[in-house]
């Protein structure tokens, strides 16, 4: 009797944990995963290449007639490549999150947007750090304008990212609470079902033994 009462709660939990995902692919997109992996490998390769170039003999010398070193120019070129890869990677990661994350569409959209904005912000910061050795020396006393420019560029994505995180806090917290409660209920249901099986088996054995004795 106990098992019969606990049984219907399993479909109820399944309905709670099931959301309308008609707007998103049911399975992971192979092409998206391949593109993201390729971009990540290309970005890591560019960083490794820049590290190797920075230790080559003579690259630290100043270019004649300028205050810029050879390694600063090479670093600026590699930085532009890395920033381009990151900006290309941002929407790809957002698409990957939308195709793989499980949850309400609004929450999935928020998480995907947060990931995309975060990568864009990282790209801006990488550009500031990598281009500074090649550009700031050319500005002389106006080198502070370089920092101001990238500060303005970074404030936009940062402000939108902060707003997205603030708006999505309640939905994400509610989703996590539902998941935790549903998992706990599912474990309790499974425990009750397993605990009920030995008792049914014992009753059947007793009835068989009693019949045999008669």
């Amino acid at each position: 009797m106990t098992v019969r009462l606990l049984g219907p709660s399993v479909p109820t939990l399944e309905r709670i944990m099931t959301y309308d995902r008609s707007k998103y692919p049911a399975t992971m997109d192979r092409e998206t995963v391949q593109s993201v992996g390729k971009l990540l490998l290309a970005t890591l390769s560019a960083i490794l290449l820049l590290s190797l170039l920075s230790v080559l003999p003579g690259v630290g010398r100043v270019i004649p007639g300028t205050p810029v070193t050879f390694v600063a120019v090479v670093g600026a070129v590699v930085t532009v490549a890395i920033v381009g890869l990151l900006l290309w990677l941002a929407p790809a990661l957002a698409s990957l999150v939308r195709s793989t994350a499980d949850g309400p569409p609004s929450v999935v959209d928020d998480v995907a947007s947060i990931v995309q904005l975060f990568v864009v912000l990282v790209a801006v910061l990488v550009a500031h750090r990598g281009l500074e050795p090649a550009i700031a020396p050319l500005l002389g006393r106006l080198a502070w304008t370089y920092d101001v420019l990238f500060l303005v560029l970074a404030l936009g994505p940062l402000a939108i990212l902060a707003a997205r995180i603030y708006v999505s806090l309640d939905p994400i917290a509610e989703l996590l609470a539902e998941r935790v409660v549903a998992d706990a209920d599912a474990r309790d249901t499974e425990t009750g079902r397993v605990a009920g099986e030995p008792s049914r088996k014992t009753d059947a054995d007793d009835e068989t033994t009693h019949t045999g004795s008669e």
Side-chain angles (χ1 to χ4, degrees), residues 26-184:
T27 58
M28 187 179 299
D29 187 0
R30 179 182 178 86
E31 293 183 358
T32 302
V33 175
Q34 185 176 0
S35 298
V36 171
K38 187 182 298 184
L39 290 173
L40 286 174
L41 290 175
T43 303
L44 294 176
S45 299
I47 294 174
L48 178 61
L49 179 62
L50 178 59
S51 301
L52 294 175
L53 289 173
S54 63
V55 297
L56 291 178
V59 294
R61 295 184 180 277
V62 176
I63 299 176
T66 68
V68 181
T69 61
F70 287 101
V71 69
V73 175
V74 175
V77 174
V78 177
T79 297
V80 172
I82 293 175
V83 170
L85 290 172
L86 289 174
L87 293 178
W88 194 8
L89 179 64
L93 282 176
S95 177
L96 182 62
V97 170
R98 289 188 176 95
S99 63
T100 58
D102 184 20
S106 59
V107 176
V108 174
D109 280 335
D110 287 337
V111 174
S113 298
I114 290 172
V115 171
Q116 183 171 353
L117 289 169
F118 178 77
V119 176
V120 171
L121 180 59
V122 170
V124 174
L125 298 177
V126 169
H128 172 265
R129 182 61 62 87
L131 298 176
E132 183 177 9
I135 297 178
L138 298 175
L139 298 176
R141 294 182 178 179
L142 297 177
W144 59 270
T145 59
Y146 176 84
D147 294 330
V148 172
L149 174 62
F150 276 93
L151 176 61
V152 174
L153 292 176
L155 283 178
L158 180 60
I160 301 174
L161 178 62
R164 273 288 188 174
I165 293 175
Y166 177 77
V167 170
S168 61
L169 281 178
D170 288 340
I172 293 177
E174 182 178 356
L175 178 62
L176 290 176
E178 289 181 0
R179 293 293 176 89
V180 172
V181 173
D183 290 343

